[in-house]
Amino acid sequence: MPTRRQEILRTASELFAERGFHGVSMNDIGAACGISGPALYKHVRGKDELLAEALVDVSEELLATGRERAAATDDASDRLDALVAWHLDFSLRHPALIVVQEREWSNLGDAARTTVRRLQLAYIDLWVDVVRSLRDDLDRAEARAAVQATFGLLNSTPHSARIGPARMRELLARMARAALVD
Amino acid sequence: MPTRRQEILRTASELFAERGFHGVSMNDIGAACGISGPALYKHVRGKDELLAEALVDVSEELLATGRERAAATDDASDRLDALVAWHLDFSLRHPALIVVQEREWSNLGDAARTTVRRLQLAYIDLWVDVVRSLRDDLDRAEARAAVQATFGLLNSTPHSARIGPARMRELLARMARAALVD
DNA sequence: TCCGCAGGTTAACACTCGTTAACCTGCGGA
DNA sequence: TCCGCAGGTTAACGAGTGTTAACCTGCGGA
């Protein structure tokens, strides 16, 4: 059972994903939770905090669980499969959070932006290490670009959920592997 | 030499790409053009028109030139290469337009949204036909999802322009092909 | 029983937004 | 020379924003 605060954060993330940070008002968020705008301030410091907390949470979970899953095996190829599977788990379960994370980080305050940036870079590095151990023809910068392109591919989920999660999962996993390791 | 109107459209698109439609004010756009907010109304009907025209223009150009390039050959594999090359041409030359097109269509008015949707679907179908003639294991819905995922991959350009356009181009083209045709 | 407070409410404030109105200026053509 | 207008300007309006203030209510514990 989620606390009220968590319910507000989740609702806000969904609205941010649909209409953008500036396209959603505190009244909108309140209404979507069944309460009125100002009541939100009993649970949250302000609108900025909603976005910041959502983004930091996402980045932390991606990194922490990503590390955990990658550490479960020693084989580089299995490790890549584990990362792909984990990223798909997340983006299929929380499409709204994925959308917000990739497009709203410029609306963060300085402190939160720095934190999110650091977490995202660490997550990318986790992938880069695996990719580089499978592809010695790529330097670090190229591997990073390749990983970011793969995120673009995996994150396409929210924009075209026409074929059911299971087949989508299989399709995207195969495409991601093919794109990364030739 | 671009007319004033076109300069305004381009400037607005760049600002929309950076901060989102609702994150940019008419005063901001005016200032970026060296004039003041209300002066924009001598060239443009309103803020909505800025977004609508930018998005319709992008969608039309992607589709028209996409068709042209695809028609230049009969071989399906060459056709796929042509589409990938064209999409990369565009997204490397106009990263801001790509960003706006993929995230701001929900802020369009009804008429413009319908138009853009139709153009985008036609562009996707152009790709789907080519992909399906190379991959008979995919049904139409799967092929569409695969194409949209490939767009996500190709459109990652704006988010990670660390390695120079030429190598980025080569890297993404190879990845896109590998992802689509195994 | 009665207090305190968690968690709501509405009213109000200061501000920004998109847009319109009214006005000014320089310049090409009759 | 003088007119008209393209393309600017600033002032102002109404709507909507995030946020604060003041107030109300129900309920668990002394």
Side-chain angles (χ1 to χ4, degrees):
Chain A
M1 60 204 67
T3 152
R4 196 83 218 238
R5 185 169 214 274
Q6 291 169 329
E7 180 204 344
I8 292 172
L9 284 173
R10 218 199 44 220
T11 305
S13 296
E14 279 160 16
L15 291 177
F16 290 159
E18 278 174 34
R19 312 210 289 269
F21 181 68
H22 293 291
V24 179
S25 73
M26 291 298 271
N27 283 339
D28 294 337
I29 301 171
C33 296
I35 60 182
S36 254
L40 296 170
Y41 290 81
K42 295 291 156 88
H43 306 273
V44 155
R45 214 182 303 263
K47 196 188 182 188
D48 290 344
E49 192 184 83
L50 257 62
L51 183 62
E53 186 138 333
L55 284 185
V56 171
D57 283 356
V58 169
S59 310
E60 277 174 346
E61 187 177 352
L62 276 177
L63 176 59
T65 307
R67 279 184 170 148
E68 190 181 306
R69 300 255 189 130
T73 172
D74 272 344
D75 180 64
S77 179
D78 290 348
R79 222 175 253 191
L80 181 59
D81 286 339
L83 285 178
V84 169
W86 157 237
H87 198 98
L88 279 173
D89 273 354
F90 193 92
S91 71
L92 286 166
R93 187 160 46 228
H94 308 298
L97 293 181
I98 284 291
V99 168
V100 171
Q101 204 215 16
E102 71 182 351
R103 73 172 62 155
E104 301 291 358
W105 69 275
S106 66
N107 292 119
L108 287 174
D110 284 352
R113 180 158 61 242
T114 311
T115 302
V116 169
R117 198 106 185 89
R118 188 172 39 81
L119 291 167
Q120 285 182 341
L121 283 178
Y123 183 59
I124 293 174
D125 271 352
L126 184 60
W127 282 69
V128 166
D129 288 340
V130 176
V131 168
R132 289 253 291 160
S133 73
L134 291 166
R135 291 280 305 273
D136 48 11
D137 58 318
L138 297 180
D139 63 30
R140 250 201 128 62
E142 289 168 329
R144 208 185 318 251
V147 166
Q148 238 147 349
T150 306
F151 290 170
L153 188 152
L154 295 173
N155 293 345
S156 71
T157 287
H159 313 303
S160 67
R162 265 272 126 75
I163 60 167
R167 285 161 90 195
M168 185 65 128
R169 213 190 144 74
E170 195 189 333
L171 179 73
L172 292 182
R174 192 194 310 261
M175 289 178 76
R177 258 209 83 97
L180 275 179
V181 303
D182 256 346
Chain B
M1 62 204 65
T3 152
R4 197 81 217 241
R5 185 168 215 274
Q6 292 168 327
E7 182 205 343
I8 292 173
L9 284 172
R10 219 200 41 222
T11 306
S13 296
E14 279 160 16
L15 292 178
F16 290 158
E18 279 173 33
R19 312 210 289 270
F21 181 68
H22 292 291
V24 179
S25 73
M26 291 298 271
N27 283 339
D28 293 338
I29 300 172
C33 296
I35 61 183
S36 252
L40 296 170
Y41 290 81
K42 295 293 156 84
H43 305 274
V44 156
R45 213 182 301 264
K47 196 189 182 187
D48 290 343
E49 192 185 82
L50 257 63
L51 183 63
E53 186 139 333
L55 284 186
V56 171
D57 282 357
V58 168
S59 309
E60 277 173 347
E61 188 178 352
L62 277 178
L63 176 59
T65 307
R67 279 184 170 147
E68 190 181 307
R69 300 255 189 130
T73 173
D74 274 343
D75 180 65
S77 178
D78 290 348
R79 221 174 253 191
L80 180 60
D81 286 339
L83 285 178
V84 169
W86 157 238
H87 199 97
L88 278 173
D89 274 354
F90 192 92
S91 71
L92 285 165
R93 187 159 48 228
H94 308 297
L97 293 181
I98 285 290
V99 168
V100 172
Q101 205 216 16
E102 69 181 353
R103 73 171 63 156
E104 301 291 358
W105 71 273
S106 66
N107 293 119
L108 287 174
D110 284 351
R113 179 158 61 241
T114 310
T115 302
V116 169
R117 198 105 185 90
R118 187 172 38 82
L119 291 166
Q120 285 181 342
L121 284 178
Y123 183 60
I124 293 175
D125 271 352
L126 184 61
W127 282 69
V128 165
D129 289 339
V130 176
V131 168
R132 289 253 290 161
S133 72
L134 291 166
R135 292 281 304 274
D136 48 9
D137 59 317
L138 296 181
D139 64 30
R140 242 193 136 68
E142 288 168 329
R144 207 187 315 254
V147 166
Q148 238 147 349
T150 307
F151 290 170
L153 187 154
L154 295 173
N155 293 345
S156 71
T157 289
H159 313 304
S160 67
R162 264 275 129 71
I163 61 167
R167 285 162 91 196
M168 185 65 128
R169 216 190 140 73
E170 196 190 331
L171 179 73
L172 292 182
R174 193 193 310 259
M175 290 177 76
R177 258 209 83 96
L180 275 179
V181 302
D182 255 347

